[in-house]
Amino acid sequence: MKPPATSFDWNQARAFLATAEEGSLSAAALRLGQTQPTLGRQVSALEEALGITLFERAGRSLRLTDAGRELLPHLKAMEENAGHVAMVAAGQAQGLKGRVTISASDMMAARVLPPIIARLARSVPELEITLLSANTLSDLTNREADIALRHVRPTEPELIARRVSEQRAKFYAASAYLERMGRPETLADLARHDWVGHASAETMLEYLAAKGIEIPRERVRVVADNGLAYWELMRHGMGVGIMAKEDVPPGEGIEPVLPEYTFMTVPVWLVAHGELHSSRRIRVVWDFLAEALSKRGAEA
């Protein structure tokens, strides 16, 4: 056996980690955006550099050897430390030129942020803004995004957060639907209407029941897990839905149901990693978003 290498290509280590976690070269290649042959060569090169066999073939999958299993946690720790080094370096960057990634829910990304980001881009042309639209929480520690807009306050001690506004969730439906089915005058009337479910119909019904609004399960005719699809189902007359008042544009044939009733209020939190908050360009984006969203919330 050749003596272990004192250094190796970090790309080879990343290839090994991805393959070990995904269980196959094809899945690992897809995750890293590389071709399978390239990834295979990187894994083989790492085995050659270290003088050990890391994987055994098991059909179409790969199985870690004892040596591979022993090496895995050490390389995983290296990956985490490398990510932290990159985070600290990014946090110390004082130039405005560069990319800032913002993540938000699909509705906020589509309805709220575009005009704000357009003003920001005109004010600070050196910035490159990437907007991620997802209804799951982005991993700020692992740099999936630099800044996130969330409806829940983070609990991780390394994250900082600022509450910038509150959204009022109300009931809405297409005017054509209400003309056909009648406009509810009381909360009890809502049980006689069809509903558009968001993500989990059962969860939505539980929220409604907690407010004393009992809706039969069979009245939830359609369900969508995407905010824009949810909006379109409401717009096409599939029933009553729950939307943030700030997300409802005028003039699209949608009107409030029981206009004076607010179902719930939802906070909007601006979140970033503490290390990144010292970066000048991220601080500029943070401050711009905070001011714009706070002002928007006050005017709503």
Side-chain angles (χ1 to χ4, degrees):
M1 177 184 294
K2 64 184 291 186
T6 57
S7 64
F8 51 84
D9 188 334
W10 176 242
N11 289 325
Q12 297 168 4
R14 288 180 67 241
F16 164 71
L17 286 171
T19 304
E21 291 170 355
E22 298 294 338
S24 70
L25 287 171
S26 58
L30 183 63
R31 169 173 150 183
L32 295 179
Q34 299 182 10
T35 65
Q36 184 173 333
T38 297
L39 205 70
R41 287 193 295 271
Q42 289 176 336
V43 172
S44 296
L46 180 62
E47 291 178 320
E48 176 67 21
L50 298 177
I52 58 177
T53 300
L54 299 172
F55 292 105
E56 294 175 346
R57 291 201 172 272
R60 294 185 176 180
S61 299
L62 295 175
R63 184 170 54 203
L64 280 169
T65 63
D66 290 341
R69 277 190 293 274
E70 186 174 346
L71 187 63
L72 185 61
H74 300 290
L75 289 181
K76 187 67 179 173
M78 287 179 63
E79 180 185 47
E80 292 173 357
N81 288 333
H84 185 69
V85 169
M87 182 81 71
V88 173
Q92 298 304 312
Q94 295 306 308
L96 286 176
K97 185 175 178 59
R99 178 184 300 175
V100 177
T101 300
I102 305 167
S103 71
S105 68
D106 52 11
M107 286 300 287
M108 183 161 285
R111 294 282 171 82
V112 176
L113 289 179
I116 296 173
I117 291 175
R119 295 198 301 272
L120 172 61
R122 288 191 292 268
S123 299
V124 192
E126 302 97 322
L127 287 173
E128 177 186 339
I129 303 295
T130 297
L131 179 58
L132 300 181
S133 170
N135 290 326
T136 56
L137 297 183
S138 56
D139 188 343
L140 298 182
T141 301
N142 287 323
R143 300 294 305 278
E144 288 183 1
D146 299 315
I147 296 173
L149 287 165
R150 297 178 176 176
H151 295 304
V152 292
R153 185 173 189 171
T155 57
E156 300 91 333
E158 66 271 19
L159 300 184
I160 57 174
R162 174 177 171 181
R163 187 169 178 154
V164 291
S165 68
E166 280 192 343
Q167 293 184 328
R168 291 171 290 167
K170 302 174 76 70
F171 300 136
Y172 291 90
S175 298
Y177 167 84
L178 294 173
E179 289 168 4
R180 183 174 74 250
M181 300 296 294
R183 288 173 170 79
E185 297 182 358
T186 67
L187 292 176
D189 292 343
L190 295 172
R192 297 192 290 271
H193 282 265
D194 292 331
W195 284 75
V196 181
H198 199 304
S200 166
E202 287 68 26
T203 300
M204 184 187 77
L205 294 176
E206 289 174 5
Y207 279 126
L208 289 165
K211 294 276 192 172
I213 305 169
E214 300 289 344
I215 305 296
R217 176 62 180 83
E218 60 269 20
R219 300 306 308 221
V220 184
R221 301 283 304 281
V222 294
V223 178
D225 67 351
N226 174 280
L228 294 174
Y230 185 79
W231 167 262
E232 288 299 320
L233 288 169
M234 289 173 52
R235 195 170 68 84
H236 283 82
M238 295 304 299
V240 180
I242 305 169
M243 296 288 294
K245 179 178 181 292
E246 294 78 4
D247 290 340
V248 180
E252 294 199 22
I254 295 284
E255 64 180 79
V257 176
L258 302 174
E260 302 304 315
Y261 180 77
T262 295
F263 175 59
M264 64 190 300
T265 57
V266 182
V268 178
W269 292 91
L270 196 61
V271 186
H273 195 283
E275 296 283 4
L276 288 178
H277 202 49
S278 60
S279 162
R280 185 184 175 205
R281 67 171 175 270
I282 293 176
R283 181 75 202 199
V284 164
V285 175
W286 170 283
D287 290 343
F288 196 97
L289 290 175
E291 181 180 1
L293 291 168
S294 298
K295 182 178 180 181
R296 187 178 187 276
E299 293 174 346

